[in-house]
Amino acid sequence: MSNIQDKVVIITGASSGIGEATAKELAYKGAKLVLAARREDRLQKLQEEIQNNGGQAIYKVTDVASNEQMEELADYALKAFGKIDVMVNNAGVMPLSPVHEKKFNEWNMMIDVNIKGVLYGIAAVLPSMRERKEGHIINVSSIAGHLVFPASSVYSGTKFAVRAITEGLRIEEFSNNIRTTIISPGAIATELLEAISDAELKAAVVEDSKVAIKPANIARAIAFAIEQPSDVAINEMIIRPTIQQL
Ligand SMILES: NC(=O)c1ccc[n+]([C@@H]2O[C@H](COP(=O)([O-])OP(=O)(O)OC[C@H]3O[C@@H](n4cnc5c(N)ncnc54)[C@H](OP(=O)(O)O)[C@@H]3O)[C@@H](O)[C@H]2O)c1
């Protein structure tokens, strides 16, 4: 039996890309899923697909930038399934731009979703995991959490922060038997680039991302981290396309 069978897993950003692919992979391996994002039509469609394939999934429309909504999401999972084994803080946005353009709204959105969303996700599941002395928190950073590129200053800042927060969490919570994993994808073919508002920059990034690999590859890495024996923690992974330089 898979070590993923019957684990209760919350996935944020499950309505597309890496989150959606992770939901399908984990459902196939027997997890009980709680899908979260803002677009209900996408969540509903994914839930139906998983259920039609014999998997288990429920969903809750959630904005990760709301502390209250993230607490409600964790409560919903606990009421439905009685425990939370894994939290995948995957939701993220990447409206790249150079700092001098002062796109304050886009900076705020990245900080709210990519940093605060992850923190709220951790905060929402930590009490029940600490009580059970068991749990696994997986935070999606990026290769941009290891390197900085022109126009990635703010995005990279948020993804460096995700790695710092996750390592801090590991040091604070290992003695409560809580595992942490940082996932840092390279170029992955998803909808992420659509939020870049500068047309010229977007075209250049789209060109660079021609090497992108499918989100299912990240889903398998997340499944690998979850399916380890409970005394083994995969703390950090970088997964790039083989032919990506940076
Ligand atoms: N694609 C890449 O090349 C790449 C590389 C490195 C890291 N990443 C990271 O991977 C993660 C997933 O991104 P992706 O590539 O799969 O992109 P994507 O297809 O655009 O998916 C992003 C997901 O985040 C959700 N989301 C955005 N804002 C949200 C909010 N306020 N509340 C709840 N959910 C929100 C979106 O759902 P709704 O819009 O329905 O809310 C969507 O499901 C992100 O953290 C991203 O930074 C991606």
Side-chain angles (χ1 to χ4, degrees):
M1 194 171 79
S2 146
N3 198 19
I4 294 176
Q5 183 76 42
D6 291 331
K7 279 196 171 159
V8 178
V9 184
I10 301 178
I11 305 174
T12 68
S15 60
S16 68
I18 292 169
E20 180 182 349
T22 301
K24 288 177 184 171
E25 176 77 16
L26 298 182
Y28 175 72
K29 295 198 162 182
K32 296 177 178 173
L33 296 171
V34 183
L35 313 170
R38 292 164 306 171
R39 287 170 293 178
E40 183 164 18
D41 54 334
R42 298 276 199 107
L43 293 175
Q44 205 166 20
K45 196 164 155 265
L46 178 60
Q47 182 198 34
E48 279 165 19
E49 190 182 328
I50 288 171
Q51 288 175 344
N52 290 342
N53 288 326
Q56 294 186 70
I58 57 174
Y59 74 82
K60 188 158 185 14
V61 173
T62 305
D63 184 341
V64 299
S66 160
N67 176 25
E68 290 80 15
Q69 289 185 35
M70 289 302 281
E71 296 285 331
E72 284 165 18
L73 175 65
D75 288 347
Y76 183 67
L78 286 172
K79 280 205 184 81
F81 294 126
K83 60 172 185 164
I84 300 164
D85 293 298
V86 185
M87 177 69 173
V88 184
N89 287 305
N90 161 74
V93 289
M94 190 185 72
L96 300 174
S97 66
V99 172
H100 73 85
E101 287 182 2
K102 297 207 252 188
K103 295 196 172 174
F104 296 127
N105 289 342
E106 295 184 356
W107 298 358
N108 287 337
M109 184 168 65
M110 282 189 276
I111 290 164
D112 286 348
V113 176
N114 300 1
I115 302 180
K116 291 187 193 169
V118 169
L119 281 170
Y120 295 157
I122 294 168
V125 300
L126 212 42
S128 70
M129 288 182 176
R130 284 172 63 100
E131 202 176 298
R132 285 177 64 220
K133 293 251 179 293
E134 196 174 342
H136 191 171
I137 296 178
I138 300 176
N139 295 331
V140 178
S141 176
S142 171
I143 195 64
H146 295 257
L147 305 166
V148 189
F149 317 96
S152 88
S153 310
V154 180
Y155 180 69
S156 284
T158 66
K159 292 301 187 178
F160 273 71
V162 169
R163 292 185 56 237
I165 290 163
T166 313
E167 177 59 7
L169 184 68
R170 184 187 74 76
I171 288 165
E172 289 175 13
E173 297 298 340
F174 73 88
S175 58
N176 286 320
N177 197 34
I178 293 173
R179 304 194 288 185
T180 65
T181 303
I182 301 164
I183 300 283
S184 292
I188 311 300
T190 69
E191 298 169 20
L192 194 69
L193 308 184
E194 284 171 23
I196 301 173
S197 55
D198 179 314
E200 208 174 311
L201 178 63
K202 186 174 178 177
V205 180
V206 167
E207 182 61 31
D208 282 353
S209 69
K210 282 200 170 135
V211 299
I213 51 174
K214 291 189 175 144
N217 294 296
I218 304 303
R220 282 202 312 282
I222 290 173
F224 177 76
I226 297 173
E227 70 197 357
Q228 297 309 305
S230 65
D231 59 348
V232 178
I234 304 289
N235 292 125
E236 181 147 25
M237 278 194 258
I238 297 177
I239 308 104
R240 286 190 184 87
T242 307
I243 59 169
Q244 179 177 352
Q245 185 187 4
L246 293 174

